[in-house]
Structure formats: C-alpha cells, structure tokens
C-alpha cells in the first residue's frame, strides 16, 4: 500500500481539493482537548501533504468534529508508530488491524483498503481470484508479499514473473507498455497513479479492475476508552448523515480520469 507520485503531480491533483467536512459538531467544546495520533508517512491519496489532507486524514478529522477532541497527526514509519503508541508517548494510532494489538481500546473499523489487480481492458483477461495470477507477469508494491498475506505470497510463486517496485507512480506506465500482464495494489493508490500518468502525458488506456482479495478493514486504537467512545459515536453520525460517503465520493471524482462508476465504496 505504498506510493510515491512526484511532488508536481500531487500539487496538480490535490491543489483543487477542498474537502473540509460539512459537518457541524453537536456540542463541541470551546477549548477542545488536543490528542496526538500516530499516522503513516505520506501515502497519497490516504495521507497527503504532511497529513494536511487525504482520505484517511479527512475522515478522522470529520469524526472528531462531533467531539470535544481535536486530533494532532504525528507522521511516523509503521514501526515507530507502534512503538510510540505502545510506550504511551502518544494518545492514539491509526490504520490498525483489529487483532494486531490488545493495548488500549479498539474503535470500530473506519477505513478499508481494497487490493485489486489491474489489466488492460483490450486484453480481456479474466482474473477472479489469486489462483488466476498463475502464468501471468505480475507487478506489485514493495513488501506486497509481506503485507498481503500468505495466500498472495503462495499465488505469486506460480506466476510467470513477479516483481515488486516501490514507485507505484510508474506501475501504470509499465502496464500500458505491456511490460506486465497485471499490476496488483490498493485500488485508490493505483487510481492516483493512472491519474498522474494522464496528467503528465495525456495518455489514457481503459483498465479492468479485478477485486482479487477481500477488503482489509482498519481500526484506530487509543489508551483512553472515552476517546474510543467519542470516535465511534462520531463515526456513526458521519455515516448516518452522509458525510462519510461524501468524503469518499469527493476523492473518487478527483482521481477519476474518466467516469468511474465501477464498484461500491466502503461504508
């Protein structure tokens, strides 16, 4: 789930995005309590511009708009995030698997990552599951065999050629050129890569999306049960009043090269 689009492309893609949630808190404090929350290093479109924006950042800010808390995002590498939280240096941590830890309290799931395989629509390939990667040349992000689990790791041992690369902004270009049969990664990171390719070169080829894995659902963790409760309450209200879907839809529209009506958004 890693991406590193160029700074120029990010400015082009996100300068016009103003996704301040249109949510009014029910009874906010005049002096909200600041809470430090560990989040990932820049991972467009989830965490962008020093955690100023991004799908995940905008969702969490909107969730806490309903509370007396104000999040302060501390960007760290994954291992440092966990260490800082477990040692009590910070109040909370984002993007955690619900079973990854028993320290503090776990919130309800608030964000999903959907890993997909992309192929050129013109090739009309059918990929309905991991087994269908057999015999194909596959490109994925650095560490994919570690992050996507043992079933994915086993599947890629049967591919014609398997390569991992950290610069996902180049993956679409390599797919367009026919260097690989399919690219595997997070749906929205790859959407950003295709948008970046179009913005920089004007080149666009229709791609087919294959949801070869179930979505991974992530929670936040906090040391204080009151913060977990406030988070869950805000999340429920966000989903109920439509703001949750509004944030996701805003990013989907901004990332689409052409009209994208394929697939439901996580709710």
């Amino acid at each position: 789930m890693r991406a590193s689009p160029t700074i120029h492309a990010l400015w082009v893609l996100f300068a016009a995005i103003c996704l301040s949630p249109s949510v009014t808190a029910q009874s906010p404090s005049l002096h909200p309590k600041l809470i430090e929350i560990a989040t990932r290093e820049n991972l467009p479109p989830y965490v962008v511009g020093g955690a100023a924006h991004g799908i995940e950042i905008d969702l969490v800010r909107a969730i806490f708009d309903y509370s007396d808390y104000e999040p302060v995002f501390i960007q760290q590498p994954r291992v440092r995030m966990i260490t800082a939280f477990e040692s009590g240096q910070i109040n909370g941590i984002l993007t955690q698997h619900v079973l990854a830890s028993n320290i503090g309290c776990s919130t309800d799931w608030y964000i999903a990552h959907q890993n997909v395989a992309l192929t050129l629509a013109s090739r009309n390939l059918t990929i309905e599951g991991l087994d269908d990667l057999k015999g194909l040349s596959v490109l994925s992000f650095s560490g994919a065999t570690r992050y996507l689990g043992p079933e994915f790791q086993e599947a890629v041992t049967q591919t014609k050629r398997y390569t991992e690369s950290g610069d996902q902004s180049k993956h679409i270009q390599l797919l367009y050129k026919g260097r690989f049969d399919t690219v595997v990664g997070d749906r929205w990171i790859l959407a950003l890569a295709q948008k970046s390719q179009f913005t920089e070169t004007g080149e666009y080829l229709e791609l087919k999306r294959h949801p070869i894995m179930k979505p991974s659902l992530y929670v936040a963790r906090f040391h204080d049960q009151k913060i977990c409760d406030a988070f869950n309450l805000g999340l429920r209200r966000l989903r109920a009043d439509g703001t949750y879907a509004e944030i996701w839809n805003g990013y989907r529209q901004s990332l689409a090269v052409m009209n994208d009506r394929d697939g439901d958004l996580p709710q």
Side-chain angles (χ1 to χ4, degrees):
M1 300 184 295
R2 298 179 180 176
S4 56
T6 64
I7 294 176
H8 171 73
L10 289 178
W11 274 109
V12 171
L13 294 175
F14 289 99
I17 298 178
C18 297
L19 290 174
S20 298
S22 57
V23 181
T24 302
Q26 300 299 306
S27 56
S29 170
L30 294 176
H31 304 286
K33 181 179 179 180
L34 300 181
I35 52 173
E36 292 187 331
I37 306 176
T39 189
R40 297 172 286 184
E41 296 180 298
N42 282 3
L43 183 67
Y46 293 100
V47 183
V48 180
H53 274 299
I55 297 171
E56 183 167 30
I57 299 302
D58 289 354
L59 284 173
V60 173
R61 277 212 180 95
I63 286 168
F64 279 113
D65 274 351
Y66 285 105
S67 76
D68 292 333
Y69 300 101
E70 181 178 338
V72 177
F73 299 105
I74 309 297
Q75 289 186 282
Q76 296 174 322
R78 173 69 68 178
V79 173
R80 286 179 58 192
M81 286 173 60
I82 295 171
T83 300
F85 175 70
E86 293 186 348
S87 64
Q89 298 175 40
I90 53 179
N91 304 104
I93 185 171
L94 298 180
T95 334
Q96 298 297 291
H97 189 281
V98 68
L99 299 178
S101 173
N102 59 3
I103 295 177
C105 53
S106 171
T107 69
D108 297 335
W109 78 267
Y110 69 96
I111 196 167
H113 281 289
Q114 173 69 68
N115 287 291
V116 300
L118 294 182
T119 60
L120 292 174
S122 60
R123 296 193 58 189
N124 199 30
L125 295 177
T126 299
I127 304 178
E128 296 180 345
L130 291 173
D131 289 344
D132 294 325
L133 297 178
K134 182 178 181 180
L136 301 179
S137 56
V138 179
L139 174 64
S140 194
F141 58 89
S142 293
T145 51
R146 181 168 71 254
Y147 290 113
L148 299 185
E151 292 183 356
F152 178 78
Q153 186 174 15
E154 173 62 25
V156 298
T157 63
Q158 304 179 60
T159 59
K160 179 172 65 177
R161 176 165 54 97
Y162 177 71
T163 303
E164 293 185 359
S165 167
D167 190 357
Q168 286 180 272
S169 64
K170 305 299 183 186
H171 288 193
I172 299 300
Q173 182 182 46
L174 293 171
L175 184 63
Y176 280 6
K177 291 181 177 180
R179 303 283 178 84
F180 291 89
D181 297 315
T182 184
V183 170
V184 174
D186 177 84
R187 170 181 177 177
W188 300 107
I189 291 175
L190 291 176
L192 175 58
Q194 187 179 24
K195 178 79 171 189
S196 178
Q197 173 72 12
F198 177 75
T199 300
E200 293 177 358
T201 69
E203 183 180 17
Y204 172 78
L205 296 177
E206 184 181 355
L207 299 179
K208 186 176 181 180
R209 187 186 303 119
H210 312 266
I212 58 174
M213 303 178 72
K214 293 181 179 179
S216 298
L217 307 180
Y218 291 100
V219 304
R221 299 194 75 86
F222 297 95
H223 291 293
D224 188 339
Q225 182 65 51
K226 291 181 180 179
I227 302 179
C228 279
D229 293 342
F231 187 102
N232 289 339
L233 178 60
L235 178 59
R236 288 194 294 271
R237 287 174 171 169
L238 211 65
R239 286 180 167 138
D241 71 9
T243 305
Y244 186 94
E246 180 184 335
I247 291 172
W248 272 104
N249 281 322
Y251 276 95
R252 175 163 71 172
Q253 292 172 14
S254 74
L255 294 174
V257 182
M258 303 296 175
N259 289 333
D260 179 6
R261 301 182 181 275
D262 184 21
D264 294 331
L265 292 167
Q267 298 294 330

